[in-house]
Amino acid sequence: MRHFGHIAPEVRQRLFHQEPCAFTADSPARLLSAALGATLYSPATRPRLADDIVRQAANGVVSMVLCLEDSIADTDVPAGEENLVRQFADLDSRAPAEPPLLFIRVRTPEQIPDLVRRLGPSVRLLSGFVLPKFTAERGIPFLEALTLAEAASGRRLFAMPVLESPELLYRESRMDTLEGISRAVDKYRDRVLALRLGVTDFCSSYGLRRAPDMTAYDVQIVASVIGDVVNMLGRADGTGFTVTGPVWEYFRVPERMFKPQLRQSPFLQVRAVELREKLIEHAMDGLLREISLDQANGLLGKTCIHPSHVLPVHALSVVSHEEFSDAQDILRPERGGGGVLRSAYTNKMNEVKPHRAWAERTLLRAEVFGVAGEDVGFVELLAAGIHG
């Protein structure tokens, strides 16, 4: 699979200075953690889940979570488990086209080995499990169960803990909770693919819900948690993990209080005014702003609950030609001693030592999402993805 693999090769060649790389579920963890992109959640009870997975893969989705937790009623869990086993078998019986990276969001540690056993040979399609309400106390049993299931199945299985518990939100318990999480995920570092933020649960602790023209960063109590999570768990010194962006809840806005946040000029330049209007109608201007803020705050990828959110996440994850040029200049071998240089675009200072970690992360993102052509912006990438 590859990002933007659903669009025609000749279109990709026109859009990209460097095309996104191909990868599989067996690629190195470092690559997969960066390549998750827009991770699409789906209730495990959907009756035609295998068809949904195939269809979403054809539309550019590269990672999905099949949810047995908050997205379904408590009474539906046994039926959801049975449906997952059937749908995986159905998917496994089809042509050898590779599905997206598939994860199951469970409720209890005991579900992990039980589901791996029940999946049988179709476990080869499973990349791992999403672990809810993760703290050191609650999370270790999940990670131990994952380790046992991995050994029993002979299949590499990853964990994606969700950081969403009230202990993480409350000021008086936040640091102790973060330190415990840090110790737990470090102990199982080889199995932790990424950490996911459960902002909806954070908001629920205070009876909050952000409006479609507000981002997670406009809700100060949530923004403070994101900052502390990245501070302790997202460092670029080799100790950190990929931390993914929070879910965007909206896909249509009936009434708008504030002006749209999308500038007109990028759309006028490529004659995509109708695309801008469609994005605004479906609350995508708020989503695009939040994705940009995710990246500015050290997050990569995003939890998504609607297929229309996938392409904006991927389009804004593509590395611009200017970013790529700066990163390459900073990482040239002859620059190992440091120093300052003017960017090739002659519009900024590149300081070799302070910007090195940014440059390394940028080139990893360039590998999985590609580098846009010199005169190609996110509007062209969005338009090409929509039209296939």
Side-chain angles (χ1 to χ4, degrees), residues 132-163:
K133 299 171 179 61
F134 192 93
T135 62
E137 182 179 330
R138 287 195 292 270
I140 289 293
F142 280 101
L143 292 168
E144 289 173 342
L146 181 83
T147 303
L148 293 174
E150 184 180 70
S153 67
R155 168 74 181 161
R156 181 181 70 169
L157 296 171
F158 288 114
M160 292 201 291
V162 185
L163 310 185

Side-chain angles (χ1 to χ4, degrees), residues 38-179:
T39 301
L40 184 64
Y41 274 55
S42 177
T45 50
R46 288 182 68 88
R48 304 192 65 178
L49 188 57
D51 292 336
D52 294 341
I53 292 169
V54 171
R55 182 172 65 255
Q56 297 305 336
N59 290 331
V61 172
V62 304
S63 64
M64 290 186 70
V65 172
L66 315 175
C67 186
L68 288 165
E69 210 227 356
D70 287 347
S71 69
I72 65 174
D74 297 347
T75 54
D76 290 337
V77 173
E81 292 178 344
E82 292 173 8
N83 188 55
L84 276 181
V85 173
R86 286 195 305 271
Q87 300 295 335
F88 265 75
D90 181 1
L91 198 60
D92 196 26
S93 68
R94 301 190 184 202
E98 189 172 25
L101 304 172
L102 297 177
F103 302 85
I104 299 174
R105 182 173 177 172
V106 290
R107 294 183 175 216
T108 67
E110 294 75 23
Q111 285 178 298
I112 293 176
D114 181 57
L115 283 168
V116 167
R117 177 186 58 80
R118 291 163 65 183
L119 287 173
S122 66
V123 75
R124 72 176 189 86
L125 303 178
L126 181 66
S127 289
F129 291 88
V130 173
L131 314 181
K133 299 171 179 61
F134 192 93
T135 62
E137 182 179 330
R138 287 195 292 270
I140 289 293
F142 280 101
L143 292 168
E144 289 173 342
L146 181 83
T147 303
L148 293 174
E150 184 180 70
S153 67
R155 168 74 181 161
R156 181 181 70 169
L157 296 171
F158 288 114
M160 292 201 291
V162 185
L163 310 185
E164 56 186 346
S165 65
E167 300 97 314
L168 188 59
L169 182 64
Y170 300 151
R171 173 175 287 183
E172 67 271 20
S173 56
R174 184 180 304 173
M175 288 303 108
D176 286 344
T177 302
L178 275 171
E179 288 171 0

Side-chain angles (χ1 to χ4, degrees), residues 51-336:
D51 292 336
D52 294 341
I53 292 169
V54 171
R55 182 172 65 255
Q56 297 305 336
N59 290 331
V61 172
V62 304
S63 64
M64 290 186 70
V65 172
L66 315 175
C67 186
L68 288 165
E69 210 227 356
D70 287 347
S71 69
I72 65 174
D74 297 347
T75 54
D76 290 337
V77 173
E81 292 178 344
E82 292 173 8
N83 188 55
L84 276 181
V85 173
R86 286 195 305 271
Q87 300 295 335
F88 265 75
D90 181 1
L91 198 60
D92 196 26
S93 68
R94 301 190 184 202
E98 189 172 25
L101 304 172
L102 297 177
F103 302 85
I104 299 174
R105 182 173 177 172
V106 290
R107 294 183 175 216
T108 67
E110 294 75 23
Q111 285 178 298
I112 293 176
D114 181 57
L115 283 168
V116 167
R117 177 186 58 80
R118 291 163 65 183
L119 287 173
S122 66
V123 75
R124 72 176 189 86
L125 303 178
L126 181 66
S127 289
F129 291 88
V130 173
L131 314 181
K133 299 171 179 61
F134 192 93
T135 62
E137 182 179 330
R138 287 195 292 270
I140 289 293
F142 280 101
L143 292 168
E144 289 173 342
L146 181 83
T147 303
L148 293 174
E150 184 180 70
S153 67
R155 168 74 181 161
R156 181 181 70 169
L157 296 171
F158 288 114
M160 292 201 291
V162 185
L163 310 185
E164 56 186 346
S165 65
E167 300 97 314
L168 188 59
L169 182 64
Y170 300 151
R171 173 175 287 183
E172 67 271 20
S173 56
R174 184 180 304 173
M175 288 303 108
D176 286 344
T177 302
L178 275 171
E179 288 171 0
I181 291 170
S182 179
R183 289 191 296 270
V185 295
D186 187 61
K187 181 179 178 181
Y188 291 88
R189 177 171 292 274
D190 290 344
R191 291 181 175 84
V192 176
L193 188 63
L195 305 175
R196 311 200 72 88
L197 288 166
V199 164
T200 301
D201 278 47
F202 289 154
C203 289
S204 74
S205 295
Y206 286 87
L208 305 175
R209 187 175 191 178
R210 68 190 191 275
D213 41 19
M214 299 282 180
T215 72
Y217 303 92
D218 295 313
V219 183
Q220 290 301 301
I221 198 164
V222 169
S224 71
V225 182
I226 295 174
D228 286 341
V229 167
V230 174
N231 191 325
M232 289 193 67
L233 299 171
R235 298 177 185 179
D237 59 0
T239 67
F241 296 84
T242 294
V243 182
T244 66
V247 68
W248 182 257
E249 298 179 355
Y250 297 94
F251 41 88
R252 193 172 184 89
V253 180
E255 187 175 358
R256 178 177 294 275
M257 182 181 298
F258 299 108
K259 289 182 178 179
Q261 302 173 74
L262 278 180
R263 292 188 301 114
Q264 292 188 23
S265 55
F267 294 86
L268 292 172
Q269 290 168 8
V270 295
R271 300 181 181 179
V273 175
E274 289 184 5
L275 174 59
R276 179 178 181 271
E277 292 173 353
K278 183 178 179 181
L279 291 172
I280 291 170
E281 178 186 358
H282 291 270
M284 296 298 181
D285 55 327
L287 170 61
L288 291 167
R289 181 168 176 260
E290 185 165 285
I291 296 166
S292 298
L293 289 169
D294 286 342
Q295 294 176 1
N297 284 277
L299 310 184
L300 181 60
K302 200 165 186 65
T303 295
C304 294
I305 47 84
H306 195 273
S308 64
H309 299 167
V310 172
L311 184 57
V313 174
H314 293 170
L316 282 178
S317 297
V318 173
V319 173
S320 71
H321 187 273
E322 181 174 345
E323 290 175 312
F324 184 66
S325 172
D326 288 340
Q328 282 192 313
D329 284 348
I330 289 165
L331 295 177
R332 292 189 192 282
E334 63 269 24
R335 301 291 182 186

